[in-house]
Amino acid sequence: MGEITVAMVAAIAVGLGVGLAVLAVDTEWLSPPPIELGTVAGARVLLGSVIGGLITVAVFGLWMRTVVIGLMAAHFSPRTLLIFLDDRFQRNLLAFMSAGVVAVLVILLRMPADEQAAAPLVSTVLVVVIALAAMAGVLLAMQHAAQSLSLPELVSRLAEDVLKVLDRHPEARIELTEVPPPLSEPRTVLAPGTGWIARIDIPRMLSALPSGGIVHLRCRVGEFVTPRRTVALVSSIEDGAEVDFDGLARAFNLARTRSPDMNLVFAISQLVDVGTFALQARADTSTAHEVMVHLEAVLEEIICRGLPRLHDKDSDGRCIYDEVGWDVADVVQLCVERLRDQASRDPEAARHLMHMLQRVSEVAEECGVFTVVSEVKCQVEMVQALAKANGMLPHDYQRLEREAGIS
């Protein structure tokens, strides 16, 4: 809403400035005009028609995207579709139409009073140009809606959004092979409110601890918490040392709704949603294949980069231990568990899933992430068991085994 407001205010200001500028040119330098295009009375009719046309064209351009989204509703869940209602091109088109309406309205209101006088040359030409540009804008809006809302484009955009979130994932501060248990009786930190955890502010958490204080996290980004939920445990506090429990609690930044911009797992889940919805509602194996291809690339990138836990330690002995954060094996398990049941009912979809798992396993082995290799092996066995339980034909089952690399 903020971006739309800014764009509209800027468009109104531009339209007002352009309208006054061309009127000044007509009044100061081109009065009387060297070429007569008609009278002021005729220009008023033209301007009134253009204003009505611009409003109609603007509504039609915005409505076109809604129509295309409605046509795509059979392939996506309502949650996913809501993402694509907002579009920068759509906002820019609305801003241009608003600027055009304001410019034409200013010219119309400040026309000469003499109805039989010659129409202002530059102002009249500008109005015609705005009308033609509006018509071209509608054609571009239709083309943009058709291209940007095609199935491959939408799946690709969701995958790119995942990689953008991965780019913002915090880097590892310290590496731990094993998290030590609390060294003293731990004290609980409750959530600061009700909502989804959007971010955990580790520096703020360290500043709220006394020297030698230790925090064990008990929640992760993307979880829903309430004021009764324990989000962390504090231990190793010396007698008399003060702990800012309010600061520790507020280090967990909450949001009313989940956002894929900050939550990597939620962003991946939206991509997986498209695949599961395609297989469940329409048996659309082509869309499911698109999802698995992009999901394979996303998982490979996550494996190569890793998902470091939020462990941290400062020079005064303050420590943060993240015992519940997502790791790569968790993400692989989440994705495959969502897809395997429906994919195992269709031979083609099952083969695509097997190919994805085989490639993910190869990349994990190259990177030395053997927890993922083990998880993939387990998921392959489950997909095979589900395929057999769902009555897959022997010939198709043999092809599935070959795709999984099993002799």
Side-chain angles (χ1 to χ4, degrees):
M1 184 62 69
E3 293 182 2
I4 295 177
T5 303
V6 172
M8 291 295 292
V9 171
I12 292 172
V14 169
L16 181 62
V18 169
L20 293 175
V22 295
L23 283 171
V25 170
D26 282 324
T27 303
E28 299 295 332
W29 297 332
L30 297 176
S31 181
I35 301 174
E36 292 191 10
L37 299 179
T39 63
V40 171
R44 288 184 186 278
V45 174
L46 174 65
L47 268 61
S49 301
V50 169
I51 290 176
L54 285 174
I55 296 174
T56 303
V57 164
V59 172
F60 181 79
L62 300 177
W63 173 74
M64 178 53 61
R65 187 173 184 85
T66 306
V67 170
V68 176
I69 290 178
L71 294 175
M72 301 300 295
H75 302 277
F76 295 92
S77 67
R79 176 188 292 275
T80 306
L81 283 173
L82 290 175
I83 303 172
F84 306 110
L85 279 173
D86 185 30
D87 180 71
R88 177 168 295 181
F89 180 88
Q90 191 178 37
R91 292 198 299 269
N92 292 340
L93 178 64
L94 180 61
F96 169 76
M97 297 295 183
S98 301
V101 170
V102 172
V104 177
L105 185 60
V106 169
I107 294 172
L108 177 62
L109 294 176
R110 296 182 66 86
M111 274 282 187
D114 186 0
E115 296 288 332
Q116 299 305 316
L121 178 62
V122 178
S123 300
T124 306
V125 171
L126 176 65
V127 169
V128 174
V129 170
I130 291 175
L132 294 176
M135 294 174 60
V138 171
L139 296 177
L140 289 175
M142 295 172 62
Q143 183 181 19
H144 175 76
Q147 291 178 351
S148 64
L149 293 173
S150 64
L151 285 169
E153 183 66 27
L154 293 179
V155 173
S156 177
R157 176 179 165 182
L158 288 172
E160 290 174 357
D161 290 344
V162 175
L163 296 180
K164 290 178 182 177
V165 180
L166 183 61
D167 290 337
R168 296 192 294 268
H169 196 276
E171 298 180 356
R173 297 292 300 275
I174 58 174
E175 297 286 350
L176 293 176
T177 56
E178 186 177 356
V179 176
L183 301 179
S184 64
E185 185 66 26
R187 300 169 65 181
T188 61
V189 178
L190 301 179
T194 300
W196 301 89
I197 298 179
R199 179 172 171 267
I200 301 177
D201 190 345
I202 298 299
R204 181 173 183 175
M205 192 172 293
L206 288 172
S207 65
L209 290 173
S211 298
I214 296 176
V215 169
H216 288 73
L217 300 182
R218 283 292 180 266
C219 63
R220 54 192 175 190
V221 173
E223 287 191 31
F224 185 81
V225 296
T226 66
R228 296 180 180 273
R229 171 72 183 276
T230 299
V231 293
L233 299 176
V234 183
S235 62
S236 300
I237 305 299
E238 298 179 357
D239 292 338
E242 294 185 1
V243 181
D244 184 4
F245 283 94
D246 184 62
L248 288 173
R250 296 192 179 282
F252 295 85
N253 299 333
L254 304 184
R256 293 183 60 188
T257 58
R258 286 187 291 178
S259 170
D261 295 333
M262 297 297 295
N263 188 343
L264 177 66
V265 174
F266 184 49
I268 296 175
S269 296
Q270 289 190 320
L271 179 60
V272 177
D273 281 344
V274 179
T276 55
F277 192 78
L279 291 173
Q280 290 174 357
R282 305 283 295 182
D284 185 358
T285 54
S286 297
T287 300
H289 186 205
E290 291 270 358
V291 170
M292 292 180 197
V293 168
H294 286 82
L295 187 60
E296 175 187 320
V298 167
L299 292 177
E300 289 177 8
E301 193 67 23
I302 293 175
I303 291 170
C304 293
R305 299 191 195 183
L307 289 178
R309 298 288 179 92
L310 301 178
H311 304 307
D312 208 339
K313 184 177 182 179
D314 65 7
S315 57
D316 293 326
R318 303 180 182 91
C319 297
I320 305 293
Y321 294 132
D322 181 8
E323 301 181 69
V324 295
W326 290 95
D327 58 27
V328 183
D330 293 335
V331 175
V332 173
Q333 180 183 17
L334 173 71
C335 296
V336 182
E337 282 182 346
R338 299 272 308 281
L339 290 168
R340 70 189 182 199
D341 183 49
Q342 294 297 324
S344 64
R345 301 175 187 273
D346 181 88
E348 183 180 358
R351 288 195 299 272
H352 291 323
L353 181 58
M354 281 295 189
H355 177 80
M356 183 191 82
L357 289 173
Q358 185 182 38
R359 179 57 187 158
V360 167
S361 180
E362 291 173 357
V363 173
E365 194 166 357
E366 292 173 1
C367 297
V369 189
F370 296 105
T371 55
V372 173
V373 176
S374 177
E375 180 62 35
V376 168
K377 183 178 180 181
C378 179
Q379 294 298 332
V380 166
E381 294 174 354
M382 291 183 183
V383 173
Q384 287 183 297
L386 285 169
K388 185 176 290 186
N390 290 330
M392 184 176 290
L393 296 176
H395 176 70
D396 292 328
Y397 188 77
Q398 291 174 2
R399 293 179 62 187
L400 184 64
E401 287 185 328
R402 289 196 299 269
E403 192 69 46
I406 299 174
S407 58

